[in-house]
Amino acid sequence: MMTGHLVIYIMVTIFVTISYAPPKIPVHYIASGISANSSALASHPLGPFWNLRLEDSALEYPLLINQPGICQRKNDSSGVGSPTLLIAIKSQVGNFENRQAIRETWGRSGLLRGDFNKKGGLVQTVFLLGRQDSSTGPHPDLNNLLGLENEKYGDILQWDFRDTFFNLTLKDLLLWRWLQQYCPTAAFIFKGDDDVFLRTDALLDYLQKRVEEHKLWRTYTNETDMNLFVGDVISNAMPNREPSMKYYIPESFYKGVYPPYAGGGGVVYSGSLALRLQEVSERVRLFPIDDVYLGMCLNRLGLSPIHHPGFLTFDLPGTDRNNPCAYKSVLLVHKRNPKEMLTLWKQLQNLPAQC
Ligand SMILES: *[C@@H]1O[C@H](CO)[C@@H](O)[C@H](O)[C@H]1NC(C)=O
Ligand SMILES: *[C@@H]1O[C@H](CO)[C@@H](O)[C@H](O)[C@H]1NC(C)=O
Ligand SMILES: *[C@@H]1O[C@H](CO)[C@@H](O)[C@H](O)[C@H]1NC(C)=O
Ligand SMILES: *[C@@H]1O[C@H](CO)[C@@H](O)[C@H](O)[C@H]1NC(C)=O
């Protein structure tokens, strides 16, 4: 088992090292989508990309900051206990401003009404952090500040691993484990980055519709679990073979096209699916690109992510960005800095009736 880990570790290290060239990093990963050469589509991975031996490295990272009671904390007169929507945001220790902007705008925890549908639901936000210290580069020590922030807001989850780009997949795995233990009854999970803007009320409406459909469906089948996974779906993407690129994956590491996956910014999935993903992830070999890894886990479950055109990984056309009406059909845009979040939030509170 140790040898297996060692090999994976060495592989990761090797291609991290190979790709060290000054990063000519694209703003965001652009998957090639449909391959130009359709006859060359599905060459298969060299080995199966999942193996049946349990991969337990992810289990070894303990929580440094936890919120064990956060999913039972809010209880208004209606007696709602667990969140309708748990918003889990991948952040880094230093991104105080992003977290605060999210708390003050689209990630505000509490009862929220829908955009059209007044039903809405209970929203709870948490931030997913790793450790940032001198081993990840020169960093000022922000631990005391983080402690204060957590005392005030109580919404930080921090695990004891190095918060690096190739470790991002760990946050998904550890989130699933955390959900299983501390928040198994959350109806839906939104997992996203701290530089996106989510129209939380519109998302609640969308999810409410899916729940009603599912109830109808249930009367015809005995399916009780809702396997919903929605985002900006990319199909038939080839791994990036350019060694100087951020998302470089050598053919020796993964061959063939990726399974369909939801890229960039954020995805939403049902709580019951999160628990299934947690289980299956123990049988899917870790892959350093988090979005793709989620696609692999879904694939292993025999499921596909659902595409929703409201997830705008690549933003609105430039001319529309400052027009509040253009956000009417949007669920998520990437990317927005904290100031832009506050401005957009304010604009969307008073959308003109003619939109
Ligand atoms: C398309 O794929 C086939 C089979 O892999 C290969 O022989 C051919 O050269 C490819 N064509 C192009 C234009 O890449
Ligand atoms: C929430 O409040 C309701 C009504 O006050 C109560 O019956 C219920 O037990 C509470 N639930 C939790 C988890 O505290
Ligand atoms: C991921 O985190 C672990 C634990 O802190 C660390 O040992 C490892 O080097 C990190 N991996 C990468 C690729 O940064
Ligand atoms: C649903 O479950 C019931 C009771 O277990 C069973 O009698 C019935 O045949 C099932 N229906 C379907 C469509 O699977």
Side-chain angles (χ1 to χ4, degrees):
M1 193 157 75
M2 285 307 288
T3 326
H5 290 163
L6 194 63
V7 170
I8 291 169
Y9 176 75
I10 289 170
M11 280 172 147
V12 171
T13 313
I14 287 173
F15 73 74
V16 167
T17 316
I18 297 174
S19 62
Y20 178 66
K24 204 176 67 185
I25 297 172
V27 176
H28 209 75
Y29 173 48
I30 302 178
S32 55
I34 309 291
S35 158
N37 188 347
S38 58
S39 69
L41 268 187
S43 59
H44 289 289
L46 275 181
F49 60 70
W50 52 78
N51 54 8
L52 292 169
R53 216 179 26 68
L54 299 192
E55 191 83 58
D56 55 3
S57 55
L59 318 186
E60 288 156 18
Y61 304 116
L63 276 156
L64 299 174
I65 302 179
N66 190 11
Q67 312 299 335
I70 201 163
C71 284
Q72 288 87 47
R73 185 184 296 172
K74 299 278 165 47
N75 191 7
D76 71 331
S77 48
S78 66
V80 195
S82 60
T84 312
L85 181 65
L86 183 88
I87 298 183
I89 303 299
K90 289 186 176 178
S91 187
Q92 292 195 328
V93 174
N95 294 1
F96 294 101
E97 204 181 351
N98 294 58
R99 289 194 290 278
Q100 191 58 27
I102 291 171
R103 285 184 195 107
E104 289 179 10
T105 59
W106 57 266
R108 194 177 285 178
S109 294
L111 265 179
L112 185 71
R113 292 202 305 187
D115 186 13
F116 291 109
N117 183 335
K118 296 295 173 255
K119 192 159 189 293
L122 186 64
V123 173
Q124 180 64 60
T125 297
V126 292
F127 296 95
L128 316 175
L129 273 58
R131 191 165 36 75
Q132 214 166 43
D133 55 29
S134 51
S135 69
T136 50
H139 285 294
D141 181 353
L142 301 174
N143 282 330
N144 287 342
L145 275 178
L146 186 68
L148 284 177
E149 182 189 6
N150 186 53
E151 248 172 58
K152 184 154 173 61
Y153 298 105
D155 56 7
I156 304 283
L157 299 178
Q158 187 188 30
W159 286 273
D160 189 9
F161 68 87
R162 287 174 58 205
D163 206 336
T164 60
F165 176 70
F166 282 113
N167 262 345
L168 275 181
T169 306
L170 285 180
K171 287 193 185 170
D172 292 277
L173 290 176
L174 294 166
L175 169 65
W176 294 339
R177 277 176 56 79
W178 183 86
L179 287 170
Q180 185 197 38
Q181 190 168 358
Y182 298 106
C183 202
T185 51
F188 295 98
I189 320 297
F190 170 82
K191 190 265 322 195
D193 296 339
D194 66 2
D195 59 355
V196 301
F197 188 95
L198 181 71
R199 287 191 58 223
T200 315
D201 51 356
L203 180 65
L204 284 172
D205 282 349
Y206 171 78
L207 294 173
Q208 183 58 36
K209 275 191 208 126
R210 298 289 81 79
V211 166
E212 275 153 23
E213 276 177 14
H214 181 70
K215 277 184 191 152
L216 264 179
W217 178 245
R218 264 173 65 176
T219 56
Y220 295 107
T221 66
N222 278 347
E223 253 174 64
T224 48
D225 283 353
M226 188 175 184
N227 291 314
L228 188 79
F229 191 105
V230 185
D232 177 14
V233 174
I234 301 163
S235 298
N236 294 322
M238 288 293 289
N240 194 317
R241 303 297 190 202
E242 176 52 57
S244 63
M245 300 303 268
K246 186 180 182 186
Y247 291 92
Y248 171 59
I249 295 290
E251 204 156 357
S252 58
F253 191 78
Y254 184 85
K255 199 173 179 177
V257 296
Y258 289 141
Y261 67 93
V267 295
V268 65
Y269 46 85
S270 54
S272 57
L273 180 56
L275 303 181
R276 293 187 69 199
L277 285 167
Q278 198 280 319
E279 265 173 44
V280 81
S281 70
E282 295 178 355
R283 295 180 176 79
V284 180
R285 194 190 293 167
L286 276 179
F287 195 79
I289 303 176
D290 52 349
D291 298 342
V292 174
Y293 182 74
L294 266 55
M296 291 174 170
C297 291
L298 283 174
N299 187 284
R300 183 73 176 86
L301 287 172
L303 301 172
S304 294
I306 297 169
H307 182 70
H308 191 302
F311 284 75
L312 299 182
T313 305
F314 302 110
D315 212 333
L316 287 159
T319 46
D320 280 346
R321 280 176 205 171
N322 296 319
N323 170 17
C325 283
Y327 290 86
K328 199 76 183 158
S329 57
V330 167
L331 291 183
L332 172 145
V333 278
H334 182 259
K335 61 200 246 156
R336 291 291 180 275
N337 67 35
K339 273 187 192 153
E340 291 165 336
M341 283 182 205
L342 294 175
T343 309
L344 185 52
W345 176 254
K346 215 168 170 185
Q347 288 173 337
L348 295 184
Q349 295 310 296
N350 323 294
L351 270 189
Q354 71 270 21
C355 279

Short mmCIF file of all heavy atoms in Angstrom, two decimals, residues 27-54:
data_model
loop_
_atom_site.label_atom_id
_atom_site.label_comp_id
_atom_site.label_asym_id
_atom_site.label_seq_id
_atom_site.Cartn_x
_atom_site.Cartn_y
_atom_site.Cartn_z
N VAL A 27 -6.12 32.18 -17.33
CA VAL A 27 -6.96 32.66 -16.24
C VAL A 27 -7.76 31.50 -15.69
O VAL A 27 -7.86 31.30 -14.50
CB VAL A 27 -7.93 33.75 -16.74
CG1 VAL A 27 -8.86 34.17 -15.62
CG2 VAL A 27 -7.15 34.94 -17.25
N HIS A 28 -8.29 30.71 -16.62
CA HIS A 28 -9.05 29.57 -16.17
C HIS A 28 -8.88 28.47 -17.18
O HIS A 28 -8.73 28.72 -18.36
CB HIS A 28 -10.52 29.92 -15.99
CG HIS A 28 -11.16 29.12 -14.94
ND1 HIS A 28 -10.94 29.35 -13.60
CD2 HIS A 28 -11.96 28.05 -15.00
CE1 HIS A 28 -11.60 28.47 -12.91
NE2 HIS A 28 -12.23 27.65 -13.73
N TYR A 29 -8.96 27.25 -16.69
CA TYR A 29 -8.78 26.10 -17.57
C TYR A 29 -9.81 26.09 -18.69
O TYR A 29 -10.99 26.14 -18.46
CB TYR A 29 -8.94 24.84 -16.72
CG TYR A 29 -8.94 23.56 -17.49
CD1 TYR A 29 -7.97 23.30 -18.45
CD2 TYR A 29 -9.92 22.59 -17.24
CE1 TYR A 29 -7.97 22.11 -19.14
CE2 TYR A 29 -9.92 21.40 -17.93
CZ TYR A 29 -8.95 21.16 -18.87
OH TYR A 29 -8.96 19.98 -19.53
N ILE A 30 -9.34 26.03 -19.91
CA ILE A 30 -10.25 25.87 -21.03
C ILE A 30 -10.05 24.47 -21.57
O ILE A 30 -9.06 24.17 -22.22
CB ILE A 30 -9.98 26.90 -22.13
CG1 ILE A 30 -10.11 28.31 -21.54
CG2 ILE A 30 -10.95 26.71 -23.28
CD1 ILE A 30 -9.83 29.42 -22.50
N ALA A 31 -10.97 23.60 -21.28
CA ALA A 31 -10.86 22.23 -21.78
C ALA A 31 -11.12 22.26 -23.27
O ALA A 31 -11.86 23.10 -23.77
CB ALA A 31 -11.88 21.35 -21.10
N SER A 32 -10.49 21.35 -23.99
CA SER A 32 -10.61 21.39 -25.44
C SER A 32 -11.99 20.93 -25.89
O SER A 32 -12.34 21.08 -27.04
CB SER A 32 -9.53 20.52 -26.07
OG SER A 32 -9.63 19.22 -25.51
N GLY A 33 -12.75 20.38 -25.00
CA GLY A 33 -14.10 19.94 -25.37
C GLY A 33 -14.02 18.79 -26.36
O GLY A 33 -13.16 17.93 -26.25
N ILE A 34 -14.87 18.81 -27.39
CA ILE A 34 -14.86 17.76 -28.40
C ILE A 34 -13.50 17.77 -29.10
O ILE A 34 -13.05 18.80 -29.56
CB ILE A 34 -15.96 18.00 -29.46
CG1 ILE A 34 -17.30 18.24 -28.80
CG2 ILE A 34 -16.00 16.85 -30.44
CD1 ILE A 34 -17.90 17.05 -28.13
N SER A 35 -12.87 16.62 -29.15
CA SER A 35 -11.58 16.54 -29.81
C SER A 35 -11.74 16.80 -31.30
O SER A 35 -12.74 16.41 -31.91
CB SER A 35 -11.00 15.15 -29.58
OG SER A 35 -10.06 14.86 -30.57
N ALA A 36 -10.76 17.48 -31.91
CA ALA A 36 -10.83 17.79 -33.34
C ALA A 36 -10.86 16.48 -34.13
O ALA A 36 -11.45 16.39 -35.19
CB ALA A 36 -9.63 18.63 -33.75
N ASN A 37 -10.22 15.46 -33.56
CA ASN A 37 -10.11 14.19 -34.27
C ASN A 37 -11.05 13.17 -33.62
O ASN A 37 -10.67 12.46 -32.71
CB ASN A 37 -8.65 13.74 -34.18
CG ASN A 37 -8.39 12.55 -35.05
OD1 ASN A 37 -9.33 11.90 -35.52
ND2 ASN A 37 -7.14 12.24 -35.25
N SER A 38 -12.28 13.12 -34.13
CA SER A 38 -13.28 12.36 -33.40
C SER A 38 -12.99 10.86 -33.44
O SER A 38 -13.43 10.12 -32.59
CB SER A 38 -14.68 12.65 -33.95
OG SER A 38 -14.70 12.33 -35.33
N SER A 39 -12.18 10.43 -34.42
CA SER A 39 -11.87 9.00 -34.47
C SER A 39 -10.89 8.65 -33.34
O SER A 39 -10.72 7.49 -33.00
CB SER A 39 -11.27 8.63 -35.82
OG SER A 39 -9.99 9.21 -35.94
N ALA A 40 -10.27 9.67 -32.77
CA ALA A 40 -9.27 9.40 -31.74
C ALA A 40 -9.85 9.59 -30.34
O ALA A 40 -9.13 9.72 -29.38
CB ALA A 40 -8.07 10.32 -31.92
N LEU A 41 -11.18 9.62 -30.24
CA LEU A 41 -11.76 9.97 -28.95
C LEU A 41 -11.37 9.05 -27.80
O LEU A 41 -10.49 9.37 -27.04
CB LEU A 41 -13.29 10.03 -29.05
CG LEU A 41 -13.82 11.42 -29.37
CD1 LEU A 41 -15.33 11.44 -29.28
CD2 LEU A 41 -13.24 12.45 -28.40
N ALA A 42 -11.99 7.92 -27.72
CA ALA A 42 -11.88 7.24 -26.45
C ALA A 42 -10.80 6.18 -26.38
O ALA A 42 -11.08 5.00 -26.33
CB ALA A 42 -13.23 6.65 -26.06
N SER A 43 -9.57 6.61 -26.41
CA SER A 43 -8.55 5.64 -26.03
C SER A 43 -8.67 5.54 -24.52
O SER A 43 -9.01 6.51 -23.85
CB SER A 43 -7.17 6.13 -26.43
OG SER A 43 -6.89 7.35 -25.81
N HIS A 44 -8.45 4.40 -23.98
CA HIS A 44 -8.76 4.23 -22.58
C HIS A 44 -7.58 4.57 -21.68
O HIS A 44 -6.45 4.56 -22.13
CB HIS A 44 -9.24 2.80 -22.33
CG HIS A 44 -10.59 2.58 -22.92
ND1 HIS A 44 -11.72 3.14 -22.39
CD2 HIS A 44 -10.98 1.90 -24.01
CE1 HIS A 44 -12.76 2.80 -23.15
NE2 HIS A 44 -12.33 2.05 -24.13
N PRO A 45 -7.87 4.85 -20.44
CA PRO A 45 -6.80 5.10 -19.49
C PRO A 45 -5.84 3.90 -19.48
O PRO A 45 -6.28 2.78 -19.69
CB PRO A 45 -7.51 5.22 -18.15
CG PRO A 45 -8.90 5.59 -18.48
CD PRO A 45 -9.20 5.03 -19.84
N LEU A 46 -4.59 4.17 -19.23
CA LEU A 46 -3.58 3.10 -19.24
C LEU A 46 -3.96 1.95 -18.31
O LEU A 46 -3.92 0.79 -18.69
CB LEU A 46 -2.24 3.66 -18.80
CG LEU A 46 -1.42 4.30 -19.91
CD1 LEU A 46 -0.10 4.79 -19.36
CD2 LEU A 46 -1.20 3.31 -21.05
N GLY A 47 -4.30 2.31 -17.11
CA GLY A 47 -4.85 1.31 -16.20
C GLY A 47 -6.24 1.80 -15.92
O GLY A 47 -6.59 2.88 -16.34
N PRO A 48 -7.06 1.02 -15.26
CA PRO A 48 -8.34 1.60 -14.86
C PRO A 48 -8.04 2.79 -13.95
O PRO A 48 -7.09 2.72 -13.17
CB PRO A 48 -9.00 0.47 -14.06
CG PRO A 48 -7.95 -0.52 -13.77
CD PRO A 48 -6.83 -0.31 -14.72
N PHE A 49 -8.77 3.89 -14.11
CA PHE A 49 -8.42 5.03 -13.27
C PHE A 49 -9.00 4.90 -11.88
O PHE A 49 -8.76 5.70 -11.02
CB PHE A 49 -8.74 6.38 -13.92
CG PHE A 49 -10.17 6.61 -14.26
CD1 PHE A 49 -11.11 6.81 -13.27
CD2 PHE A 49 -10.56 6.65 -15.58
CE1 PHE A 49 -12.43 7.03 -13.61
CE2 PHE A 49 -11.88 6.88 -15.92
CZ PHE A 49 -12.82 7.06 -14.93
N TRP A 50 -9.78 3.90 -11.65
CA TRP A 50 -10.11 3.60 -10.26
C TRP A 50 -9.49 2.25 -9.95
O TRP A 50 -9.35 1.40 -10.81
CB TRP A 50 -11.61 3.56 -10.03
CG TRP A 50 -12.35 2.69 -10.97
CD1 TRP A 50 -12.45 1.33 -10.92
CD2 TRP A 50 -13.12 3.09 -12.10
NE1 TRP A 50 -13.22 0.87 -11.93
CE2 TRP A 50 -13.64 1.93 -12.68
CE3 TRP A 50 -13.41 4.33 -12.67
CZ2 TRP A 50 -14.45 1.95 -13.81
CZ3 TRP A 50 -14.21 4.35 -13.80
CH2 TRP A 50 -14.72 3.18 -14.36
N ASN A 51 -9.11 2.08 -8.75
CA ASN A 51 -8.67 0.74 -8.38
C ASN A 51 -9.45 0.34 -7.15
O ASN A 51 -9.98 1.16 -6.41
CB ASN A 51 -7.16 0.70 -8.13
CG ASN A 51 -6.74 1.73 -7.14
OD1 ASN A 51 -7.59 2.38 -6.53
ND2 ASN A 51 -5.45 1.92 -6.96
N LEU A 52 -9.55 -0.95 -6.94
CA LEU A 52 -10.47 -1.39 -5.90
C LEU A 52 -9.83 -1.41 -4.52
O LEU A 52 -10.47 -1.67 -3.53
CB LEU A 52 -11.04 -2.76 -6.27
CG LEU A 52 -11.95 -2.63 -7.50
CD1 LEU A 52 -12.33 -3.97 -8.06
CD2 LEU A 52 -13.20 -1.83 -7.15
N ARG A 53 -8.57 -1.09 -4.50
CA ARG A 53 -7.92 -1.02 -3.21
C ARG A 53 -8.21 0.35 -2.59
O ARG A 53 -8.24 1.36 -3.29
CB ARG A 53 -6.41 -1.18 -3.39
CG ARG A 53 -5.76 -1.96 -2.27
CD ARG A 53 -4.28 -2.11 -2.49
NE ARG A 53 -3.69 -1.07 -3.31
CZ ARG A 53 -3.56 0.18 -2.96
NH1 ARG A 53 -4.00 0.60 -1.80
NH2 ARG A 53 -2.99 1.04 -3.77
N LEU A 54 -8.44 0.39 -1.33
CA LEU A 54 -8.81 1.66 -0.72
C LEU A 54 -7.62 2.61 -0.68
O LEU A 54 -6.50 2.23 -0.41
CB LEU A 54 -9.35 1.44 0.69
CG LEU A 54 -10.59 0.57 0.76
CD1 LEU A 54 -11.21 0.64 2.12
CD2 LEU A 54 -11.60 0.99 -0.30
#
